[in-house]
Amino acid sequence: MTDPHRPYRQLARNNRLANRRLAGAIAALQPGEWEAPRTSFFPSLRATMNHIYLVDRFYIDALQGGTLGVSVFASPEPFPDPAPLAAAQDALDTTVLALITDAPDLNRPVHIHRADRIQTETLADTLMHLFLHSQHHRGQVHAMLSGSTVKPPQLDEFFMADDARFRADDLAALGWTESDLA
């Protein structure tokens, strides 16, 4: 029987690994590049990475039964510097992975506190939305890094067994092994 939680665990681990790689690239930026105006949905690397964090926080709060709702967006860029943002993002990524690791009921309702209503979705759909939203904006960050002094990191060497050699250092740094990905 196939484990229905496996894809969600894989996506949660991929999320953490991709965010770690982006944080490493961003840490190597020259002064001024982090906040420099760029062409994208959000006008800078700083704005986009903060947006990823805030939306993750919004949905993770809902996944945990919280009611913070749109108040998480009160400050659109709570982290002016990349290092504290990377640490806060890693904490969120760790939280989401822990939620999945406990093999929750993927059909359980999640109550998402919007400005004018409480939206109810399944855990499975909320997780999928969270992962795809982050992936979408990480792609924008990747493109923006192309216009900086830092080479964008590879973000898609995670699921295939043949890519193990490309992720070995990242897995070691995260305390994971290939068997953790199964």
Side-chain angles (χ1 to χ4, degrees), residues 31-52:
E33 289 187 300
W34 165 243
E35 64 278 0
R38 300 190 187 275
T39 301
S40 194
F41 189 80
F42 291 95
S44 68
L45 289 162
R46 179 178 68 195
T48 306
M49 292 299 289
N50 270 280
H51 175 74
I52 292 169

Side-chain angles (χ1 to χ4, degrees), residues 22-78:
L22 284 178
I26 288 168
L29 290 169
Q30 296 298 311
E33 289 187 300
W34 165 243
E35 64 278 0
R38 300 190 187 275
T39 301
S40 194
F41 189 80
F42 291 95
S44 68
L45 289 162
R46 179 178 68 195
T48 306
M49 292 299 289
N50 270 280
H51 175 74
I52 292 169
Y53 168 81
L54 289 171
V55 173
D56 281 5
R57 185 170 176 228
F58 173 77
Y59 284 110
I60 292 168
D61 175 69
L63 291 169
Q64 294 177 308
T67 59
L68 288 175
V70 296
S71 72
V72 302
F73 303 110
S75 174
E77 293 185 21

Side-chain angles (χ1 to χ4, degrees), residues 76-88:
E77 293 185 21
F79 296 98
D81 298 315
L85 174 55

